[in-house]
Amino acid sequence: MMPFGERSRRVTGMMFLLIIAAVLHHSFAALSATTMAPAQTTAAPHTDPGRPDRGTYNVTNGNNTVCLLAYMGLQLNITYNSTSQGKIITEVVNIKPNVTQASGSCEAERAVLELKTDANKTTLTFVFTLNTTSSKYHLSEASLTTTVSDPKVGNFSARNSSLDSLQGTLGFSYMCRMEQTLTVSQNLSINTFQVQLQPFEVSGDKFGAAVECQLDEDNMLIPIIVGAALAGLVFIVLLAYLIGRKRSHAGYQTI
Ligand SMILES: *[C@@H]1O[C@H](CO)[C@@H](O)[C@H](O)[C@H]1NC(C)=O
Ligand SMILES: *[C@@H]1O[C@H](CO)[C@@H](O)[C@H](O)[C@H]1NC(C)=O
Ligand SMILES: *[C@@H]1O[C@H](CO)[C@@H](O)[C@H](O)[C@H]1NC(C)=O
Ligand SMILES: *[C@@H]1O[C@H](CO)[C@@H](O)[C@H](O)[C@H]1NC(C)=O
Ligand SMILES: *[C@@H]1O[C@H](CO)[C@@H](O)[C@H](O)[C@H]1NC(C)=O
Ligand SMILES: *[C@@H]1O[C@H](CO)[C@@H](O)[C@H](O)[C@H]1NC(C)=O
Ligand SMILES: *[C@@H]1O[C@H](CO)[C@@H](O)[C@H](O)[C@H]1NC(C)=O
Ligand SMILES: *[C@@H]1O[C@H](CO)[C@@H](O)[C@H](O)[C@H]1NC(C)=O
Ligand SMILES: *[C@@H]1O[C@H](CO)[C@@H](O)[C@H](O)[C@H]1NC(C)=O
Ligand SMILES: *[C@@H]1O[C@H](CO)[C@@H](O)[C@H](O)[C@H]1NC(C)=O
């Protein structure tokens, strides 16, 4: 028959192995769920154009210095009532950086980025506003004019001048690696990818230090939490093993 100390040590060892297996399973399931998420959202069967390429868009002011920098991938999600097909159509279109011209203007409290593509058939405009009291800037307006594939519908436009997204701090650039969705109107949303931008106080044609968006921080937190939980478990198992060994030694001595 096994000495009591030995058996209880084996039982506790087994229990901890089971717990570790369960925790590992859960954390890997959570990890793969978060890494799979972007793939699932872009899995629309017909109109999925894939991930857009990242463009580098600059605005220069009168004396040829860069005053606005925006590096990002952009995807338009347009909904309209197709008269020829008799149903509501969703068109997802990527902005192709190599056929897109950036222009705009920079004022003290207002900066405009205008992107024109497809022989100027599509114009996408972003307006950033600076609040000098709080030294914060944000995207305050977005508008789009384009043509949709249904020739009977032809032109499409949408505009929202009361947005409050992509908030950044003066002197710093705004950064968001994760995909984000800007809802412009009921019929237009813009998916952004790998954004880094600075609409004010660009010095030396370079971005200031980046302030990461909440979405990125949350995403980085998951592996940290999982790692910390695993480290804690390893410590507990080690502790249990040491205590178990001490107990079984004590057991042998009394027998
Ligand atoms: C360029 O013009 C802006 C005002 O439009 C001024 O603040 C800035 O100092 C000028 N930069 C250079 C290099 O002259
Ligand atoms: C486009 O918008 C529609 C409705 O707003 C939504 O159901 C769909 O998931 C969006 N597609 C993409 C690729 O963002
Ligand atoms: C906007 O989309 C709705 C359906 O979501 C559609 O009924 C409406 O006609 C669209 N409006 C325009 C201007 O395309
Ligand atoms: C789409 O357009 C047709 C014809 O103009 C109209 O009869 C129908 O009500 C519209 N559908 C929506 C959802 O707006
Ligand atoms: C733009 O880039 C795409 C690939 O990203 C390529 O297929 C296309 O030929 C390019 N167009 C031009 C005009 O360079
Ligand atoms: C598009 O518009 C810009 C000015 O905004 C002009 O310089 C350019 O020639 C136009 N391109 C085409 C293809 O019309
Ligand atoms: C600017 O920020 C201050 C402080 O956060 C706020 O009280 C004020 O309403 C803001 N101004 C504008 C025009 O948004
Ligand atoms: C679409 O817009 C273009 C330029 O703004 C204009 O020349 C054209 O007539 C418009 N087409 C329709 C069908 O409204
Ligand atoms: C503009 O955006 C704001 C904030 O996202 C939203 O509350 C508002 O309904 C939008 N306006 C229109 C016309 O879609
Ligand atoms: C934008 O400016 C950066 C330097 O600040 C430069 O490397 C890049 O080529 C420029 N891009 C465009 C499209 O002009």
Side-chain angles (χ1 to χ4, degrees):
M1 214 182 130
M2 249 189 274
F4 176 72
E6 180 88 353
R7 204 170 58 190
S8 77
R9 198 175 59 177
R10 283 206 183 159
V11 170
T12 45
M14 283 280 265
M15 263 169 59
F16 275 111
L17 271 179
L18 280 174
I19 290 170
I20 285 184
V23 167
L24 273 177
H25 179 80
H26 269 270
S27 50
F28 279 117
L31 267 181
S32 61
T34 55
T35 47
M36 290 306 281
Q40 280 169 354
T41 53
T42 53
H46 293 298
T47 53
D48 179 16
R51 214 178 151 88
D53 289 333
R54 194 186 195 209
T56 61
Y57 306 118
N58 301 342
V59 176
T60 48
N61 63 11
N63 53 17
N64 249 351
T65 52
V66 174
C67 59
L68 182 153
L69 283 169
Y71 293 7
M72 56 192 171
L74 293 167
Q75 188 175 66
L76 309 173
N77 187 345
I78 300 166
T79 311
Y80 64 95
N81 185 357
S82 166
T83 40
S84 60
Q85 290 183 54
K87 61 179 179 183
I88 302 297
I89 301 283
T90 296
E91 242 171 57
V92 180
V93 186
N94 286 347
I95 299 287
K96 295 180 198 73
N98 58 359
V99 293
T100 302
Q101 258 86 50
S103 61
S105 61
C106 301
E107 291 159 36
E109 292 172 30
R110 188 183 144 92
V112 179
L113 171 65
E114 194 174 74
L115 301 176
K116 284 176 182 263
T117 70
D118 308 334
N120 293 343
K121 266 194 253 160
T122 298
T123 304
L124 178 60
T125 309
F126 295 105
V127 179
F128 296 90
T129 305
L130 175 68
N131 182 331
T132 46
T133 317
S134 60
S135 291
K136 302 265 186 199
Y137 58 81
H138 67 274
L139 177 72
S140 56
E141 181 179 329
S143 57
L144 172 76
T145 61
T146 188
T147 54
V148 291
S149 51
D150 182 348
K152 278 192 185 153
V153 175
N155 294 343
F156 173 93
S157 68
R159 176 198 206 90
N160 190 330
S161 49
S162 55
L163 296 176
D164 187 15
S165 47
L166 313 181
Q167 294 116 331
T169 304
L170 193 61
F172 295 88
S173 58
Y174 168 91
M175 190 179 227
C176 206
R177 296 174 220 264
M178 296 286 288
E179 178 181 350
Q180 261 191 113
T181 300
L182 307 173
T183 303
V184 177
S185 73
Q186 191 199 352
N187 297 59
L188 172 67
S189 61
I190 302 170
N191 298 324
T192 66
F193 300 79
Q194 281 192 291
V195 178
Q196 185 170 15
L197 60 84
Q198 189 166 348
F200 298 98
E201 279 197 358
V202 175
S203 65
D205 296 0
K206 279 204 283 287
F207 282 117
V211 176
E212 202 114 355
C213 65
Q214 192 63 44
L215 214 59
D216 284 3
E217 301 209 324
D218 292 349
N219 206 44
M220 266 186 280
L221 220 58
I222 294 165
I224 291 173
I225 290 171
V226 170
L230 283 180
L233 262 173
V234 167
F235 177 74
I236 290 170
V237 169
L238 206 69
L239 206 71
Y241 170 74
L242 290 176
I243 290 170
R245 207 167 67 158
K246 210 170 156 194
R247 271 219 198 116
S248 71
H249 271 286
Y252 283 124
Q253 270 164 7
T254 51
I255 283 170

